Amino acid sequence: MVGYDPDSPGVTLSPEEAALAGSVAGMVTRAIISPLDVVKIRFQLQIEQVSWRSRQGKYWGLWQATRCIMTEEGLPAFWKGHIPAQLLSVCYGAVQFASFEALTELVHKKTNFNSQTPGIHFICGGLAACSATFACQPLDTLRTRFAAQGEPKIYRNLRHAVATMFHTEGPFTFYRGLTPTLVAMFPYAGLQFFFYNILKKLLEPQDTKSKGGLHSLISGSCAGVISKTITYPFDLIKKRLQVGGFEEARMKFGQVRTYRGFADCVRGIGREEGLRGFFKGLSPSLLKAALSTGFTFFWYEFFINAIVSLKSS
């Protein structure tokens, strides 16, 4: 089971071991879901309506966008920004799971609350995700810039992107969109851990020791879809803010907008694109959330069990 469990037999995990399992889980998952992430970001940044009925913008459907990217940019385009994305996944997974294990252990030792209840997992999961988000936000911004650019490329490589952004936009550009990210991340991650806790217990008998596997995959996938649907508008707003100052690379994809901040972005999207504008790219995002969350919990429990087995032997 994810989180500190005083009733679970075996060896107690150290923060370093939880960080190791979380980082490897994030790395493996990222390699699998990268293509969906690229398509989702392209949808989120498109001002025109994403609809196969109106077909106003460059992209108007999941399969059409996939074919378009493949034809114009080739197969490697689906892994654009993969290096910063992998760094992001490794860093995020390590900080999030290490923080979560430490927080749930703290709750058990310092309070009277049960560290394995869904409510505690919601709070600890949200706090752990906010810590990981703040630590990894620059990598997320870089990943978004790489995934958003077409051909010819504005940034040649990671070093060039960091140097260019720092000199032309300043150091704070790496934290663009941090406010909506933190606002969305607490309930999003909290709900992931909350629903994962509930669903995992429903799928596994009360007296059965958690071993991960199919139950982890199913529980994580369902938790990811539910939490992503609830918090999706914040993710879209974050992406719009992260590409501010990057208008040159976005011209060929359609209309471009510059927002002065979180409130201005919300007003602009609502005025020009309506309520549906806040849910652009939801389809690939839900598919990605199902795979990403499911595989993250699956691989995390897999590596945790492997570590525990090695320590026990």
Side-chain angles (χ1 to χ4, degrees):
M1 176 63 72
V2 175
Y4 182 78
D5 186 1
D7 299 323
S8 177
V11 184
T12 303
L13 289 172
S14 68
E16 292 79 10
E17 290 165 341
L20 175 63
S23 61
V24 178
M27 181 177 66
V28 175
T29 302
R30 170 59 58 182
I32 297 172
I33 56 92
S34 181
L36 285 169
D37 204 30
V38 170
V39 175
K40 181 205 73 170
I41 290 174
R42 297 290 179 92
F43 280 4
Q44 288 179 323
L45 300 181
Q46 180 169 293
I47 302 299
E48 296 85 356
Q49 185 177 356
V50 179
S51 171
W52 64 271
R53 293 187 180 88
S54 59
R55 303 186 182 183
Q56 300 172 358
K58 184 178 180 70
Y59 306 121
W60 39 267
L62 179 59
W63 300 116
Q64 177 270 339
T66 302
R67 290 194 303 270
C68 183
I69 295 171
M70 173 74 86
T71 302
E72 295 182 356
E73 304 171 50
L75 185 63
F78 292 103
W79 280 270
K80 277 187 175 180
H82 190 59
I83 293 176
Q86 276 291 13
L87 292 174
L88 169 65
S89 297
V90 170
C91 174
Y92 188 91
V95 176
Q96 182 186 35
F97 281 104
S99 299
F100 183 75
E101 296 288 345
L103 286 169
T104 51
E105 183 176 0
L106 184 67
V107 167
H108 170 72
K109 293 181 176 179
K110 300 296 183 180
T111 72
N112 294 323
F113 295 105
N114 183 350
S115 62
Q116 278 297 318
T117 58
I120 294 299
H121 276 209
F122 173 80
I123 296 172
C124 292
L127 291 174
C130 286
S131 300
T133 297
F134 186 81
C136 306
Q137 179 72 5
L139 292 170
D140 191 26
T141 300
L142 286 165
R143 185 274 306 255
T144 299
R145 293 288 183 99
F146 276 107
Q149 68 178 351
E151 297 290 343
K153 296 177 180 178
I154 301 297
Y155 304 128
R156 296 189 300 271
N157 50 47
L158 185 59
R159 179 183 295 180
H160 179 241
V162 172
T164 302
M165 291 170 64
F166 185 84
H167 290 302
T168 60
E169 303 173 53
F172 291 109
T173 193
F174 296 101
Y175 282 90
R176 282 180 184 266
L178 180 62
T179 299
T181 303
L182 291 176
V183 170
M185 189 52 65
F186 184 92
Y188 175 56
L191 288 171
Q192 280 185 339
F193 283 96
F194 176 85
F195 285 112
Y196 181 78
N197 180 286
I198 293 175
L199 293 168
K200 191 74 184 299
K201 289 177 178 177
L202 288 175
L203 289 174
E204 292 184 342
Q206 191 69 29
D207 56 347
T208 301
K209 180 185 175 182
S210 174
K211 294 183 178 179
L214 184 60
H215 290 161
S216 294
L217 189 61
I218 295 173
S219 301
S221 295
C222 293
V225 168
I226 296 170
S227 55
K228 174 58 73 175
T229 302
I230 295 172
T231 61
Y232 185 77
F234 291 102
D235 188 38
L236 183 138
I237 294 167
K238 176 189 75 172
K239 291 293 186 289
R240 294 286 181 95
L241 293 174
Q242 284 180 329
V243 295
F246 193 50
E247 288 78 11
E248 180 185 352
R250 299 295 308 155
M251 293 294 184
K252 66 182 68 180
F253 293 101
Q255 299 180 45
V256 176
R257 295 289 182 273
T258 301
Y259 304 107
R260 294 188 298 274
F262 178 72
D264 183 53
C265 185
V266 173
R267 286 194 298 268
I269 295 172
R271 183 174 57 252
E272 290 192 75
E273 305 167 54
L275 182 62
R276 293 183 64 180
F278 292 100
F279 292 91
K280 284 181 176 177
L282 181 62
S283 297
S285 185
L286 289 181
L287 183 56
K288 176 208 164 188
L291 294 173
S292 175
T293 311
F295 278 119
T296 296
F297 281 112
F298 170 84
W299 288 115
Y300 179 72
E301 293 223 35
F302 175 85
F303 289 118
I304 283 296
N305 288 326
I307 291 172
V308 170
S309 297
L310 287 173
K311 290 179 71 174
S312 298
S313 61

